[in-house]
Amino acid sequence: MLWPLSQSLVAGWAAASGALAGPFEPAWQLLERFDVVYKRGRRYVHSPDPDYQLKAARLRSVWQEVLKDPIASVLLYQDELTYYRCPTVFCDYATAGSDAPRAVQGTGYNTSRRIAGCLNAYTGRLICWQRSAFDHQTFLRYLQAVEGRYPRAKRISIALDNWPVHFQPDVLAALQSSKITLVFLPTYAPWLNPIEKVWRKLKQEILHLHRYSSRWKDLQERVEQWLIQYDRPAPDLLRYVGLLPD
């Protein structure tokens, strides 16, 4: 059992530190003396990428180029999100003592939809496509469409994760003749990609506990409306994701 094991570990630690408990002092009292409490765990990811510092430094270098000339140099944070016909369970307000808020699942297959998005690190503009799936050919067409939205740019740096579709040879080959440079983020480092917080905002405002489980087309249109509102300079979105100080 966990607690007896913890007791033995605490006893060994206490003996090594000279903080010996009394003959009948339980482990929890000893822990309390050192301000140690029982806590629930939390999800945690540590990037195992050996080139973490190098990749993070490259991202900072690109950002410095953008600050010098934000018209000629553009930095976009890119990512994909999958959402579903069935709503996700989340917290919501309800009458005290009543039944918990319901994520009504409806009936039938839990159809999914993919979004690819690019967040402009300087303006907050969000450019998104919705598709049933994103294979490497669709992804390439999306990047080409994004490039077309920045006709005055000389260089478009797109920071993105290590999803295999991003590495496809025909994608990389096609981009050789474009203004786009892919800046790959360290593996398992979502905190370096602010568009992750855009997806969080979308989930909180639309997808969690939504009421469209039997109206799949309506849900897609509602998501599209939400995305389109940020297809413009959006300082409010930049503040939300932490790229613009208050």
Side-chain angles (χ1 to χ4, degrees):
M1 295 177 62
L2 178 61
W3 181 237
L5 177 61
S6 299
Q7 283 184 311
S8 64
L9 291 174
V10 169
W13 166 74
S17 64
L20 293 175
F24 300 105
E25 184 176 11
W28 68 266
Q29 289 184 352
L30 178 61
L31 291 172
E32 191 175 61
R33 285 167 51 192
F34 286 88
D35 198 29
V36 177
V37 297
Y38 189 67
K39 293 184 177 181
R40 180 177 178 175
R42 62 181 177 87
R43 290 181 180 272
Y44 175 76
V45 177
H46 175 76
S47 173
D49 196 327
D51 295 325
Y52 181 96
Q53 296 298 336
L54 182 64
K55 292 179 179 179
R58 184 186 179 194
L59 190 60
R60 291 192 296 270
S61 176
V62 171
W63 178 238
Q64 292 304 313
E65 292 179 11
V66 172
L67 293 178
K68 292 176 183 177
D69 190 344
I71 301 299
S73 296
V74 174
L75 172 59
L76 306 175
Y77 287 100
Q78 195 279 329
D79 194 31
E80 293 83 20
L81 172 73
T82 302
Y83 70 93
Y84 299 88
R85 178 184 62 78
C86 295
T88 45
V89 177
F90 202 68
C91 298
D92 197 5
Y93 289 100
T95 305
S98 68
D99 189 13
R102 297 182 180 183
V104 179
Q105 301 296 289
T107 58
Y109 183 70
N110 192 15
T111 310
S112 65
R113 188 79 166 160
R114 288 283 280 176
I115 305 172
C118 277
L119 175 68
N120 188 306
Y122 189 81
T123 68
R125 184 186 189 185
L126 186 66
I127 301 175
C128 293
W129 272 18
Q130 285 198 73
R131 297 293 185 272
S132 58
F134 270 89
D135 57 18
H136 64 279
Q137 295 175 337
T138 307
F139 178 67
L140 176 58
R141 290 196 297 272
Y142 166 69
L143 293 184
Q144 292 168 338
V146 170
E147 181 183 13
R149 304 289 290 274
Y150 292 97
R152 300 172 61 189
K154 295 180 179 179
R155 180 178 180 181
I156 303 172
S157 299
I158 300 183
L160 70 178
D161 63 24
N162 297 270
W163 185 34
V165 167
H166 301 158
F167 287 91
Q168 287 295 315
D170 57 343
V171 172
L172 299 179
L175 294 180
Q176 291 296 317
S177 58
S178 75
K179 295 185 287 188
I180 292 176
T181 299
L182 300 184
V183 181
F184 288 102
L185 297 169
T187 55
Y188 298 100
W191 53 88
L192 292 180
N193 197 349
I195 198 174
E196 297 275 3
K197 293 182 180 178
V198 175
W199 303 147
R200 181 182 68 183
K201 184 176 177 66
L202 172 61
K203 291 175 183 178
Q204 290 174 341
E205 296 185 4
I206 303 295
L207 299 176
H208 291 321
L209 298 173
H210 70 71
R211 302 294 188 264
Y212 297 94
S213 59
S214 60
R215 294 181 290 150
W216 178 230
K217 291 296 183 182
D218 289 345
L219 177 60
Q220 294 176 55
E221 291 175 6
R222 182 70 183 90
V223 170
E224 188 68 18
Q225 292 170 4
W226 190 94
L227 297 171
I228 288 176
Q229 70 177 318
Y230 294 114
D231 190 359
R232 56 170 176 78
D236 53 330
L237 192 61
L238 281 181
R239 290 190 187 92
Y240 179 84
V241 302
L243 290 175
L244 183 65
D246 291 330

